[in-house]
Amino acid sequence: MVFRPPGFSLKIISRLTDRNEGRSAWEAYINRRELVPGVQGHIARSWARCWPVLDPHQVLPTTRLTANHLLSTQVANFELLLIARPIMEDVYQYIEGSDSAVAIINPAGYILDLLGDTNILEKLRREGIDRGVSMAENQLGTNAFALAILERMPIQVSGAEHFLEKLHSYAESAAPIFDLTGNPLGATGIITLQPIHHPHSLGLAAASARAIESQRQADQLLNEQNRQMGGLNAILSSIDEGILVWNNEEVIIHANPAANRILYLGQENLMGRALSEVIQFPSLVKEALETQKTLSNVEASLQVHGRNTTCIMSLRYIPAGKGISGCVAILRSARDVRKLVHKQLGAQALFNLENLVGKSVQMRRVRKIAETAAAARASILLRGESGTGKNLLARAIHNHSHRKEGPFLMFACNATPAELVISELAGVEQNSAGGANYSRPGKFELAEGGTIFLKDVEALSYEAQTIVLNILELGIVQRLGSRTPVNVDVRIIASTSS
């Protein structure tokens, strides 16, 4: 929309480019309030706004921030200045030596930063224009920096297009800087002397403004991404499941604290390390990774720095276009899972020594011996006829020991078919990802951290007795079909009727 004074109707044909024509058009408006052809709409609107509040022949006003106010204003716009300064320096490299300066203002019109050739900076300072000075339209009249913010577009103002005569020897090209929501953050541009002003400087000003916007948006997006990553890492660090992520090059890109704990790695930093340097997967996991097959709650024995670690593992893949960009392993401690199962199923012993019936000397002696045995760490053999309560005594001993928070499992040796005893005690390992079942822990592994009660232990075969002997002497058990022994921490209480 073109401004027209009251009673004045005139079509604007083109911009005034000749210096004398521009001076004549300015004098026509100042002296007679006439708007001659060629005066651009935004210049005409600005002159109309300046006419009631400014004297076109006055000395340049110098509304200036104090040093403290300027510093606080620069601090408030620190993020903008941090991005803009390098870009302003790049622009100045192209115009250095041309009696030009590069400036940036905030939305209120105050100059935040100014750099340029010594001659023009000194000339501007003599006019009262420097950092902290307001270039708002109601202070300096028509100028490109104020109009860029008011009109929300790149603008050039040259020579007599300025409302104040003191600025006729200057020319500016400025462009607004917007945030992501479209609100103006300020404007940046070039100030030069009017005789050497070049129209292409407007493109340079606009390009610098767009560069500042793009860099600021990129920084904001990066900060937002970092904030979200920080929140995600906080969430992953707070969960009990271990999260291990690696990319297509099998380089570990994330491991939460639970993964370090489950894999017994302490505070070791896994980020950036090759997966093969840390973990060796069993064949069923390797086959799943090769075929990109998901796994859910599979019990797997991992080699971590040469140490065997059994965990419940799930595999998921990170999609990327038509392929995948990495893999996510969700790890759960086998001991923690079993402890939870035992708790839900009530697998703890609830009977204690105080529940033993009887006040005779013999019963008091049994309680005394049971208390002593419960406090020890050695295995126990209970002897007595059938029906005398050996299983209750075993539960009471467990519940009175330091293992009372762990599981209590009972295995009836004489009630289990001979061909199943070994697999029930030792467990089974199936190393094929295509099999119907994967692996199954034995009773000794299920009793990890607690007590196993072998009822009628004399019924065990020699092969089964070997398994028990390995537990007693070495603290290990080896599943059927596996070549890797598993360390177990379990106390054995056995009973016999013979």
Side-chain angles (χ1 to χ4, degrees):
M1 178 178 179
V2 178
F3 170 78
R4 296 176 177 83
F8 186 86
S9 177
L10 188 64
K11 182 179 180 182
I12 294 177
I13 302 173
S14 62
R15 179 180 180 180
L16 294 174
T17 57
D18 182 81
R19 184 175 182 181
N20 293 328
E21 289 181 359
R23 176 73 183 187
S24 298
W26 178 80
E27 289 177 346
Y29 187 84
I30 296 303
N31 297 328
R32 301 183 300 276
R33 293 295 302 276
E34 294 179 2
L35 194 62
V36 302
V39 178
Q40 295 193 104
H42 58 271
I43 299 296
R45 290 191 293 271
S46 178
W47 287 355
R49 291 191 295 267
C50 294
W51 179 267
V53 294
L54 296 175
D55 178 2
H57 303 290
Q58 70 183 36
V59 176
L60 292 182
T62 54
T63 302
R64 181 189 300 268
L65 297 173
T66 65
N68 288 337
H69 285 165
L70 173 59
L71 179 60
S72 62
T73 303
Q74 290 174 329
V75 170
N77 293 271
F78 177 76
E79 180 189 359
L80 176 64
L81 288 174
L82 187 65
I83 297 170
R85 180 69 187 199
I87 296 174
M88 292 171 64
E89 291 175 353
D90 290 342
V91 171
Y92 177 63
Q93 286 182 353
Y94 291 102
I95 62 175
E96 187 176 4
S98 63
D99 273 342
S100 300
V102 184
I104 184 171
I105 66 171
N106 70 356
Y110 289 97
I111 300 176
L112 299 175
D113 199 2
L114 181 68
L115 71 154
D117 295 333
T118 302
N119 290 339
I120 193 169
L121 290 180
E122 290 180 354
K123 183 175 176 61
L124 288 171
R125 290 190 184 102
R126 287 195 298 269
E127 301 284 4
I129 299 174
D130 201 354
R131 292 182 181 88
V133 171
S134 173
M135 295 192 72
E137 190 179 65
N138 60 356
Q139 296 293 324
L140 288 186
T142 305
N143 67 86
F145 289 87
L147 288 182
I149 294 177
L150 290 172
E151 299 287 340
R152 301 175 69 89
M153 67 179 186
I155 284 179
Q156 281 183 329
V157 175
S158 176
E161 290 180 328
H162 294 90
F163 184 78
L164 298 184
E165 188 176 15
K166 287 289 187 179
L167 292 178
H168 284 190
S169 60
Y170 296 98
E172 311 100 37
S173 299
I177 304 169
F178 297 105
D179 62 14
L180 288 171
T181 61
N183 293 319
L185 298 170
T188 185
I190 300 168
I191 305 173
T192 189
L193 299 177
Q194 198 275 338
I196 60 174
H197 171 63
H198 197 286
H200 290 171
S201 60
L202 181 62
L204 192 57
S208 63
R210 299 295 84 77
I212 294 171
E213 289 176 355
S214 298
Q215 185 61 53
R216 185 175 182 273
Q217 291 173 9
D219 289 351
Q220 286 183 327
L221 292 175
L222 181 60
N223 290 336
E224 177 63 19
Q225 184 181 30
N226 290 335
R227 187 188 68 79
Q228 293 181 0
M229 286 297 297
L232 179 60
N233 287 334
I235 293 172
L236 293 177
S237 298
S238 66
I239 63 177
D240 293 331
E241 287 82 3
I243 305 295
L244 193 65
V245 186
W246 60 90
N247 58 21
N248 283 339
E249 287 73 37
E250 295 190 351
V251 174
I252 299 173
I253 58 177
H254 182 80
N256 69 344
N260 287 48
R261 174 181 58 82
I262 293 169
L263 298 175
Y264 298 98
L265 291 173
Q267 298 300 318
E268 183 177 344
N269 186 13
L270 300 179
M271 299 282 286
R273 298 186 60 180
L275 186 66
S276 58
E277 292 180 5
V278 183
I279 303 173
Q280 296 295 326
F281 292 119
S283 58
L284 69 95
V285 178
K286 290 180 180 178
E287 291 178 20
L289 290 172
E290 290 174 359
T291 59
Q292 297 182 8
K293 179 181 179 180
T294 59
L295 296 179
S296 297
N297 298 323
V298 173
E299 186 170 289
S301 180
L302 312 179
Q303 287 275 339
V304 183
H305 289 326
R307 175 193 176 114
N308 294 323
T309 301
T310 302
C311 62
I312 309 300
M313 181 176 181
S314 298
L315 281 181
R316 297 294 184 270
Y317 301 94
I318 305 172
K322 296 182 179 180
I324 62 171
S325 63
C327 184
V328 180
I330 301 98
L331 309 175
R332 298 176 180 85
S333 168
R335 175 183 292 186
D336 292 345
V337 171
R338 289 165 189 159
K339 185 182 294 185
L340 178 62
V341 172
H342 293 317
K343 182 177 180 179
Q344 295 296 321
L345 296 178
Q348 286 78 21
L350 302 178
F351 193 85
N352 54 44
L353 294 176
E354 286 72 20
N355 299 130
L356 290 176
V357 179
K359 298 182 180 180
S360 63
V361 175
Q362 291 83 354
M363 284 304 301
R364 289 199 297 270
R365 182 170 176 270
V366 168
R367 290 194 189 93
K368 187 65 175 178
I369 295 174
E371 289 178 2
T372 303
R377 296 181 179 274
S379 300
I380 300 172
L381 177 63
L382 304 179
R383 299 180 64 183
E385 297 177 1
S386 298
T388 54
K390 296 186 292 297
N391 59 334
L392 293 179
L393 183 58
R395 292 176 184 270
I397 292 173
H398 166 81
N399 206 38
H400 203 74
S401 70
H402 68 280
R403 295 176 177 267
K404 62 183 179 180
E405 298 299 328
F408 178 86
L409 265 67
M410 184 177 71
F411 182 75
C413 301
N414 62 351
T416 305
E419 63 273 12
L420 297 179
V421 169
I422 296 178
S423 62
E424 287 293 320
L425 291 177
V428 177
E429 183 77 41
Q430 184 163 334
N431 293 320
S432 174
N437 299 299
Y438 294 112
S439 57
R440 177 171 55 80
K443 292 296 188 291
F444 285 110
E445 290 184 64
L446 293 175
E448 172 73 22
T451 304
I452 185 170
F453 176 47
L454 301 178
K455 183 179 180 181
D456 299 320
V457 69
E458 72 276 7
L460 289 179
S461 64
Y462 290 122
E463 292 83 357
Q465 290 178 31
T466 303
I467 298 174
V468 177
L469 185 62
N470 287 336
I471 296 293
L472 294 173
E473 293 183 347
L474 304 176
I476 62 172
V477 65
Q478 188 166 333
R479 295 181 184 180
L480 294 179
S482 173
R483 298 179 181 178
T484 305
V486 178
N487 295 317
V488 291
D489 175 24
V490 61
R491 187 182 195 184
I492 297 176
I493 299 178
S495 71
T496 178
S497 299
S498 58

